[in-house]
């Protein structure tokens, strides 16, 4: 769905994007991670037809963003990190205007707007002026505007920045909902733990270069980063601890006796995790829950980046 | 706003719908119109001939002159300022990025912004229009004179709106645009006179014969309106003190208006082209 080949972008002598190659399949949620000044926003703006690349190929659904930006804009929904709103308009008028811009017929608009408002949980604010919305609601309204023409691809630049914890959770739920609807989502964020929760694949960019990319499991495996595991048992804590300590690939074991909880890091694939669970159960440890928090994206990020800017 | 109006605007352009239906400043415009109407009515009452003898004087032309000066001021200042803030305002509010990706074409955005500025000016001048049409009945000016004045005013409105739009596209910030709009107005009205003075000062003929030759000032709206006023009132004297003015190119006010309409067309289509390029790639 999204294909980037040998992409370069220069601002004068400054190389903002350096030979970026990326391929994202339909229906994926791609997390684009990088420190400030890494080239994330530049790449996103090139994808969104807002910036002309210095060299390279960038295609969305097979359409070259340089050759036919207007066709790309019809299938793309872009939510910028800093966005302006027409604050004097009502929420429904704001959406109606952008629906009209996308040539959605007048008779269909009301139904589409109602659906979008419901999806973004803004129905209650339908007749409120945009200027009176909270930051989180404005963020959701911008996302609603992005969805108004039912785009195939969503490009979201820091969608959760500036949101309170509740707003972040709601935004994450909304993105998961959109993923279920089959949208391909390209999202950049600094909040790595949240990306790990809903992204199917990630790319880490630093100094304009893509340092690592791929499905999260593959990246974790390739980088040799430990998986964070949490086990809750009913009793027999001592036996459980002994089993964990006996395994060389397990490290950083922490136990909470009162909660009967063990957390540890393990360098292992899915098969090894299944073997560990089976071993515990056959050894007589009454396991209540066994939770794989996955590879910590922060660990990967810290491992592959050196704090360079482009 | 009735659904029918929304459908009409919608069919024309969503940008027009946005500007006319959703951005509500109608109440301010209506109250402004009523107050202007009241002021003009007072002026008209003050100018109305008190007797038949007095009616023989050219009250119509005097009153039309007063109304026209007001109209010229409104058109010159407000149309340029309004248009110069239109696109720059979108840039400053960071809403232009949303418009760029909205499916509207650059030409559609420019046309709607120009239409809004023009309609705004028409709305501001609307209360004075019936009063201008009353002037021929007061004597001293014919209907053709009034219509000529209003036609030139219409041309000048388009010219200043086009200039304002061009400024709005070229610069990012509102204050830069408004500063350049002011500079544009000052130059277009008085800059040509300064140029002529500089040229005449360098020429020896001026020093000996005291004859000023006007090269560029004929293109100034001041000169054009001066000619128009002289055509509707007593002949305007081009002699001042011991100086005499010759015109390098003697244009009638109709010809000057034609030049302004051509300049407006050039500025407008340049604006569209520049904006198309801007919207295609440049990040605001």
């Amino acid at each position: 769905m999204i294909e980037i080949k040998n992409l370069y972008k220069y601002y004068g002598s400054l190389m903002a994007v350096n030979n970026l190659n990326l391929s994202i399949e339909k229906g994926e949620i791609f997390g684009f991670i990088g420190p400030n000044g890494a080239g994330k926003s530049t790449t996103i703006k090139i994808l969104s037809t807002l910036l002309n690349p210095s060299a390279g190929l960038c295609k969305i659904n097979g359409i070259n963003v340089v050759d036919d930006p207007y066709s790309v804009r019809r299938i793309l929904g872009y939510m910028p990190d800093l966005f302006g709103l027409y604050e004097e308009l009502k929420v429904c008028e704001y959406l109606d205007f952008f629906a009209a811009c996308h040539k959605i017929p007048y008779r269909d608009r009301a139904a589409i707007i109602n659906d979008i408002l419901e999806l973004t949980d803004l129905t209650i604010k339908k007749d409120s002026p945009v200027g009176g919305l909270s930051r989180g609601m404005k963020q959701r309204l911008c996302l609603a505007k992005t969805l108004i023409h039912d785009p195939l691809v969503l490009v979201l630049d820091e969608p959760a920045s500036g949101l309170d914890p509740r707003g972040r959770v709601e935004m994450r739920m909304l993105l998961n909902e959109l993923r279920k609807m089959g949208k391909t989502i390209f999202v950049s964020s600094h909040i790595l733990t949240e990306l790990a929760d809903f992204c199917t694949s990630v790319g880490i960019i630093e100094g304009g270069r893509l340092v690592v990319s791929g499905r999260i499991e593959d990246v974790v495996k390739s980088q040799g980063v430990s998986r964070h595991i949490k086990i809750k048992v009913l009793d027999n804590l001592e036996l459980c601890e002994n089993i964990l300590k006996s395994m060389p690939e397990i490290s950083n074991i922490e136990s909470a006796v009162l909660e009967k909880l063990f957390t540890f890091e393990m360098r292992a694939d899915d098969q090894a995790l299944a073997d560990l669970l089976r071993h515990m159960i056959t050894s007589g440890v009454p396991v209540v829950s066994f939770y794989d928090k996955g590879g910590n994206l922060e660990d990967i990020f810290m491992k592959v980046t050196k704090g360079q800017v482009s | 706003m009735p659904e029918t109006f929304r459908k009409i605007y919608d069919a024309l352009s969503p940008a027009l719908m946005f500007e006319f239906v959703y951005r509500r400043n109608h109440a301010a415009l209506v109250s402004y119109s009523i107050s202007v109407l009241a002021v003009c009515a007072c002026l008209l009452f003050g100018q109305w001939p008190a007797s038949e003898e007095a009616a023989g004087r050219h009250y119509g032309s005097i009153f039309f002159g007063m109304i026209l000066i007001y109209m010229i001021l409104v058109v010159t200042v407000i149309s340029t300022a309004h248009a110069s803030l239109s696109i720059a305002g979108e840039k400053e509010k960071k809403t232009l990025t949303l418009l760029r990706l909205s499916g509207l074409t650059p030409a559609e955005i420019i046309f709607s912004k120009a239409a809004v500025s023009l309609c705004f000016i028409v709305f501001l001048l609307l209360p004075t229009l019936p009063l201008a049409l009353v002037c021929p009945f007061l004597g001293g000016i014919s209907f053709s004179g009034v219509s000529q004045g209003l036609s030139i005013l219409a041309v000048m409105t388009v010219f200043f709106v086009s200039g304002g739009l061009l400024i709005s596209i070229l610069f990012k910030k509102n204050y830069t645009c408004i500063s350049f709009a002011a500079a544009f107005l000052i130059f277009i009205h008085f800059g040509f006179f300064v140029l002529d003075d500089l040229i005449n000062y360098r020429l020896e003929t001026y020093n000996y014969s005291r004859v000023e030759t006007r090269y560029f000032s004929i293109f100034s709206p001041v000169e054009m309106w001066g000619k128009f006023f002289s055509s509707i009132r007593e002949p305007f004297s081009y002699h001042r003190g011991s100086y005499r003015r010759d015109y390098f190119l003697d244009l009638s006010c109709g010809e000057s208006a034609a030049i302004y309409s051509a300049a407006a067309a050039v500025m407008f289509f340049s604006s569209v082209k520049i904006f198309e390029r801007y919207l295609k790639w440049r990040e605001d």
Side-chain angles (χ1 to χ4, degrees):
Chain A
M1 184 57 82
I2 299 175
E3 194 184 353
I4 299 174
K5 275 186 185 168
N6 308 323
L7 189 72
Y8 289 88
K9 177 68 190 175
Y10 293 92
Y11 292 111
S13 59
L14 177 79
M15 189 188 278
V17 178
N18 181 4
N19 195 21
L20 189 77
N21 289 282
L22 207 56
S23 180
I24 301 165
E25 297 299 317
K26 188 175 185 293
E28 275 198 59
I29 300 187
F30 182 83
F32 201 42
I33 309 164
N36 291 328
K40 294 192 302 293
S41 289
T42 302
T43 309
I44 281 178
K45 280 173 183 167
I46 291 170
L47 264 182
S48 313
T49 74
L50 294 172
L51 268 182
N52 199 6
S54 303
L57 183 80
C58 199
K59 283 183 176 178
I60 292 184
N61 200 26
I63 308 167
N64 192 328
V65 297
V66 178
D67 295 342
D68 196 357
Y70 292 105
S71 298
V72 170
R73 288 171 191 180
R74 278 195 282 275
I75 57 162
L76 179 102
Y78 168 60
M79 181 178 163
D81 52 347
L82 292 170
F83 52 87
L85 294 164
Y86 297 109
E87 306 226 326
E88 66 272 34
L89 267 59
K90 291 179 187 169
V91 167
C92 58
E93 291 173 344
Y94 181 81
L95 293 176
D96 187 59
F97 166 62
F98 282 104
C101 291
H102 284 292
K103 312 284 186 282
I104 296 171
Y106 184 78
R107 60 185 176 278
D108 302 339
R109 259 184 248 158
I112 291 172
I113 289 169
N114 285 336
D115 288 349
I116 298 274
L117 287 172
E118 202 173 317
L119 181 72
T120 51
D121 204 15
L122 281 172
T123 310
I124 198 166
K125 294 286 177 185
K126 189 178 177 181
D127 293 316
S128 304
V130 172
L133 298 180
S134 66
R135 164 84 195 189
M137 282 182 180
K138 282 181 180 172
Q139 206 97 338
R140 272 189 277 165
L141 178 63
C142 192
L143 186 60
K145 180 217 75 79
T146 308
L147 294 169
I148 201 88
H149 60 298
D150 194 22
L152 295 171
V153 179
L154 286 171
V155 178
L156 314 175
D157 198 356
E158 300 279 356
S161 69
L163 296 184
D164 60 17
R166 186 178 182 81
R168 283 178 187 172
V169 171
E170 284 171 355
M171 182 61 77
R172 198 168 64 208
M173 284 161 66
L174 186 55
L175 292 182
N176 271 323
E177 195 68 32
L178 292 168
R179 176 191 174 189
K180 284 178 200 158
M181 290 163 72
K183 309 276 183 212
T184 306
I185 304 174
F186 188 102
V187 55
S188 85
S189 179
H190 283 121
I191 307 153
L192 303 179
T193 45
E194 290 192 357
L195 279 181
D197 282 349
F198 61 83
C199 286
T200 52
S201 53
V202 289
I204 297 176
I205 185 171
E206 188 182 38
R209 295 183 75 92
L210 193 68
V211 187
V212 64
S213 77
R215 298 188 72 79
I216 290 185
E217 312 88 80
D218 298 339
V219 170
V220 169
K221 203 185 289 179
S222 70
Q223 295 303 318
V225 177
S226 302
R227 300 168 83 155
H228 294 245
I229 314 291
K230 193 194 276 186
I231 298 178
K232 186 175 169 62
V233 296
L234 204 57
D235 52 35
N236 228 343
L237 272 77
E238 202 176 326
L239 176 62
C240 181
E241 192 167 1
N242 289 338
I243 292 172
L244 294 176
K245 281 182 178 168
S246 68
M247 302 187 84
E249 58 270 43
I250 290 177
S251 59
N252 294 337
I253 302 167
E254 287 175 19
S255 59
V257 180
L258 285 178
E259 291 91 355
K260 296 172 184 174
L261 205 68
F262 289 92
T263 52
F264 55 90
E265 289 174 21
M266 184 175 182
R267 289 192 177 187
D269 55 10
D270 288 349
Q271 184 58 52
L273 278 182
D275 290 344
L276 171 66
L277 180 60
R278 192 186 310 116
H279 179 52
M280 284 197 159
I281 291 166
T282 51
S283 305
V285 178
V287 179
V288 177
S289 69
F290 188 95
Y291 176 56
D292 172 20
K293 286 161 72 181
N296 193 334
L297 265 183
E298 274 171 359
D299 294 343
I300 302 170
F301 183 76
M302 293 310 288
K303 187 174 179 184
V304 300
T305 59
K306 299 179 186 74
Q308 293 172 349
V309 289
S310 53
Chain B
M1 183 64 63
E3 292 295 296
T4 327
F5 282 113
R6 281 183 57 183
K7 281 182 186 171
I8 293 167
Y9 285 129
D10 196 22
L12 289 170
S13 162
L16 282 181
M17 176 183 79
F18 172 67
E19 296 286 354
F20 289 134
V21 181
Y22 288 156
R23 286 195 158 168
R24 316 169 185 81
N25 45 9
H26 307 129
L29 280 175
V30 169
S31 48
Y32 161 83
S33 307
I34 291 168
S35 56
V36 168
L37 200 63
V39 170
C40 288
C42 291
L43 282 173
L44 183 61
F45 181 73
Q47 291 292 321
W48 199 267
S51 63
E52 279 189 20
E53 189 190 347
R57 292 160 68 185
H58 302 308
Y59 279 109
S61 63
I62 295 167
F63 189 60
F64 182 65
M66 285 165 60
I67 292 175
L68 196 59
I69 286 169
Y70 163 76
M71 287 171 145
I72 291 166
L73 284 174
V74 167
V75 162
T76 307
V77 178
I78 298 180
S79 60
T80 316
H82 193 272
S84 71
L85 296 177
S86 55
I87 304 284
E90 301 280 354
K91 289 178 194 170
E92 202 161 278
K93 279 194 292 181
K94 297 196 176 293
T95 44
L96 192 60
T97 305
L98 304 180
L99 282 183
R100 289 169 81 183
L101 298 170
S102 70
L104 286 176
T105 61
E108 208 173 0
I109 296 171
I110 289 279
F111 273 101
S112 60
K113 291 291 182 191
V116 170
S117 293
L118 290 173
C119 291
F120 185 69
I121 292 301
V122 168
F123 211 97
L124 292 184
L125 297 182
L126 215 54
T128 51
L129 207 59
L131 298 171
L133 295 174
V134 166
C135 292
F137 298 108
L138 297 175
I141 187 165
S142 62
F143 270 113
S144 68
V146 171
S147 59
Q148 193 191 358
L150 295 179
S151 310
I152 295 172
L153 197 72
V155 168
M156 294 313 289
T157 310
V158 175
F159 174 77
F160 287 124
V161 164
S162 306
L165 276 176
L166 188 60
I167 289 167
S168 195
I169 287 162
L170 293 176
F171 303 102
K172 283 183 184 176
K173 300 281 179 194
N174 276 346
Y175 73 84
T176 321
C177 286
I178 208 77
S179 310
F180 271 88
F184 167 72
L185 287 182
I186 291 168
F187 179 78
I188 209 84
H189 282 87
F190 309 112
F192 294 126
F193 291 101
V194 176
L195 277 177
D196 279 351
D197 283 347
L198 286 172
I199 293 166
N200 280 301
Y201 182 73
R202 301 297 302 171
L203 290 177
E204 288 189 357
T205 49
Y206 171 73
N207 297 324
Y208 294 113
S209 64
R210 319 299 279 171
V211 174
E212 267 186 305
T213 309
R214 289 299 187 193
Y215 297 94
F216 301 108
S217 56
I218 192 67
F219 298 113
S220 164
V222 175
E223 198 72 40
M224 183 186 68
W225 284 117
K227 285 195 170 184
F228 177 75
F229 280 113
S230 72
S231 72
I232 62 165
R233 293 169 71 172
E234 67 270 17
F236 188 78
S237 172
Y238 291 117
H239 300 280
R240 197 169 58 188
S242 58
Y243 302 101
R244 190 166 66 83
R245 285 181 188 168
D246 280 346
Y247 283 86
F248 183 73
L249 190 66
D250 201 3
L251 298 172
S252 67
C253 48
E255 287 164 340
S256 296
I259 290 173
Y260 279 116
S261 45
V266 169
M267 283 198 291
F268 189 80
F269 288 108
S270 311
S271 304
V272 173
K273 284 289 159 200
I274 294 168
F275 197 54
E276 270 174 0
R277 279 190 61 195
Y278 182 91
L279 280 202
K280 197 170 177 190
W281 290 123
R282 206 168 135 196
E283 176 58 15
D284 55 287

